[in-house]
Amino acid sequence: MFQGLLTGGIFKRAIDRKLVESNICNIRDYTHDKHHTVDDYPYGGGAGMVLKPDPIFESVEAIIAAIFHNQGDNSMPIILLTPQGRLFSQQIALELSKHSHLILICGHYEGVDERVREHLVTDEISIGDYVLSGGELAAMVVADAVVRLIPGALGSEASPIDDSHTTGLLEYPQYTRPPAYRGWTVPEVLLSGNHAQIAKWRRQQSITRTLQRRPELLDKASFNLEERQLIDRLKQA
Ligand code: ADE
């Protein structure tokens, strides 16, 4: 499943530039029975299977041994992807991008033995209030959002500082050539070359768009007086 992420786009470029390394580990390789069993029936009964603790503990311990030669870095996040985790955000991506190593554990089937949560993982993350059939897509979402924040990953020209959510607001509208397409024109200010005016227009557009689409985000962002007045005007309109 991970080949798509690892062989294209920004992630691959970051690997090629040696900004990031990725190791995929299959917990089946850390089983000791001939069927390579990773799950079992839940104690107490009920539908579905539960991922056994031993292959998960042993694979994480093997990774730590390989990376740190057992000198465990105890600040390294060991993250279980689960719908029960804290909700992933740009803020969390930024926080994770500052760590030199991350371990992402993908749950599967109906559940994971609770001892993994209690005694192995340091964090549990959900990518949204819906249930995926496994944690792999969630792990790729987290990895992609984190890797693009590593300095140099986006290339020298691009920067994540204006991204939606980095400022706490949604991003402003973007245009490229041609200046008129099917009669639809690019806002005059963007063609003006006046950088101060452009920055102001973009900020106002971000605020307007955020108020229309995600008003709850405005509560967490900070504004100058003029921007506050704009928000009040927009709310009254
Ligand atoms: N595994 C299944 N659903 C998930 C979700 N929404 N977030 C993270 N991991 C998951």
Side-chain angles (χ1 to χ4, degrees), residues 81-83 107 125-135 138:
L81 283 309
T82 162
I125 288 180
S126 165
I127 62 159
D129 292 337
Y130 40 81
V131 179
L132 303 167
S133 51

Side-chain angles (χ1 to χ4, degrees), residues 37-111:
T37 313
V38 292
D39 58 356
D40 207 338
Y41 296 99
Y43 275 122
M49 301 292 272
V50 176
L51 282 179
K52 291 159 65 60
D54 27 336
I56 301 180
F57 272 86
E58 287 182 35
S59 54
V60 169
E61 283 157 6
I63 293 166
I64 292 172
I67 301 173
F68 300 112
H69 310 291
N70 284 326
Q71 313 259 293
D73 164 5
N74 49 24
S75 74
M76 174 178 61
I78 302 174
I79 301 164
L80 177 68
L81 283 309
T82 162
Q84 300 167 38
R86 61 182 176 135
L87 198 56
F88 191 53
S89 65
Q90 191 64 19
Q91 189 54 44
I92 296 176
L94 199 58
E95 188 185 303
L96 297 179
S97 74
K98 310 222 158 99
H99 288 273
S100 65
H101 295 80
L102 302 175
I103 293 182
L104 302 174
I105 304 174
C106 310
H108 218 296
Y109 311 103
E110 258 82 291

